[in-house]
Amino acid sequence: MLFIFILTSLLSIRSDDSGSDALRLETRCETSVAKTGYDVGEKQSFSANMLVATPEGNKPIEQLAVGAAVLSFNPETGQIETTTIEAVTTQHRHNMYELYFEGIKIKVTEDQPFYSQGKYYSVVKNKKHGVSTKALSIGQVFDFLINDDMVKVTLKQIRPFNTCENTVTITKLAKNNLYFANGACVLTGTSSAGEEESHHPAGVNTLLQNE
């Protein structure tokens, strides 16, 4: 009986610790929004554990580092080119959305620009990151890089998440400013207040997830 009581108490403490970590993260976001009117980070980004296209195949962003090779898109030539990561950012963000593209889902901030056929789109249209984006719409078709081929996929659902999360994004590439996250062609981040930017080896952002 005593053993069961001790074990139950330990599990309860561990659960409380986990809850405390989540509460601290949420409080940190809420405090930032209350003080400044914006999230702890204002750089567009993805939830951690996404997959980024590299010359060796898709890799979890947290396994990449500054200097790692990734595949980028050159909109001038329409070619996919190999480049290297020069900087990444980690931050805490509200206003996360999960986008469903025919079996692929991407968890992203509302302002993350997606590139398609010469135009930029995001969940909420904005001009925050050096480009003017239009709002994403259900039924919209995008070109995704899947298994080394460009494949057309349709946006099926946009689902909001009213939570604060740790997010990561590639903020600078050696050349081009478009790379592939979960197969989608996306814009790198641009410098902004409130983020932790690294020019040294660090985790980065983007993953392919099946429904």
Side-chain angles (χ1 to χ4, degrees):
M1 294 289 292
L2 179 60
F3 171 76
I4 294 174
F5 173 76
I6 292 172
L7 179 59
T8 302
S9 298
L10 288 173
L11 290 174
S12 177
I13 291 171
R14 182 173 297 177
S15 177
D16 289 344
D17 288 343
S18 176
S20 296
D21 289 342
L23 179 60
R24 280 193 291 270
L25 176 58
E26 189 65 30
T27 300
R28 190 161 31 187
C29 280
E30 289 176 352
T31 300
S32 175
V33 172
K35 287 183 176 180
T36 66
Y38 52 76
D39 286 343
V40 176
E42 274 216 316
K43 198 178 299 299
Q44 75 272 23
S45 54
F46 302 87
S47 61
N49 301 320
M50 295 285 183
L51 292 179
V52 174
T54 79
E56 291 77 37
N58 291 324
K59 293 184 178 180
I61 198 163
E62 64 272 19
Q63 293 182 12
L64 299 175
V66 170
V70 297
L71 298 182
S72 68
F73 182 74
N74 185 333
E76 299 297 325
T77 64
Q79 299 297 309
I80 296 173
E81 302 172 350
T82 298
T83 186
T84 56
I85 297 170
E86 292 194 343
V88 297
T89 293
T90 60
Q91 58 189 351
H92 310 301
R93 288 295 308 266
H94 275 92
N95 302 325
M96 301 294 294
Y97 287 78
E98 199 161 61
L99 311 180
Y100 292 84
F101 293 89
E102 298 186 85
I104 299 170
K105 60 182 178 180
I106 303 175
K107 203 168 190 178
V108 66
T109 53
E110 64 180 10
D111 54 339
Q112 171 63 53
F114 290 77
Y115 180 84
S116 180
Q117 299 179 1
K119 297 180 180 179
Y120 291 92
Y121 302 88
S122 55
V123 174
V124 177
K125 67 178 182 179
N126 66 85
K127 298 180 181 180
K128 293 173 60 177
H129 306 292
V131 298
S132 179
T133 69
K134 296 183 177 181
L136 289 167
S137 59
I138 303 301
Q140 193 169 355
V141 177
F142 288 83
D143 291 318
F144 271 44
L145 180 64
I146 300 176
N147 297 325
D148 298 325
D149 291 321
M150 296 304 294
V151 179
K152 292 189 180 300
V153 297
T154 303
L155 177 60
K156 296 292 188 178
Q157 184 181 9
I158 301 174
R159 181 184 173 193
F161 279 80
N162 187 26
T163 60
C164 184
E165 297 193 16
N166 290 313
T167 65
V168 194
T169 191
I170 296 174
T171 50
K172 188 177 181 181
L173 297 172
K175 67 176 179 178
N176 300 324
N177 61 2
L178 295 168
Y179 65 104
F180 295 95
N182 293 22
C185 189
V186 299
L187 184 71
T188 56
T190 52
S191 293
S192 171
E195 80 278 354
E196 302 169 14
E197 187 165 312
S198 171
H199 292 272
H200 302 287
V204 235
N205 73 296
T206 5
L207 170 115
L208 240 169
Q209 297 177 318
N210 292 324
E211 289 181 307

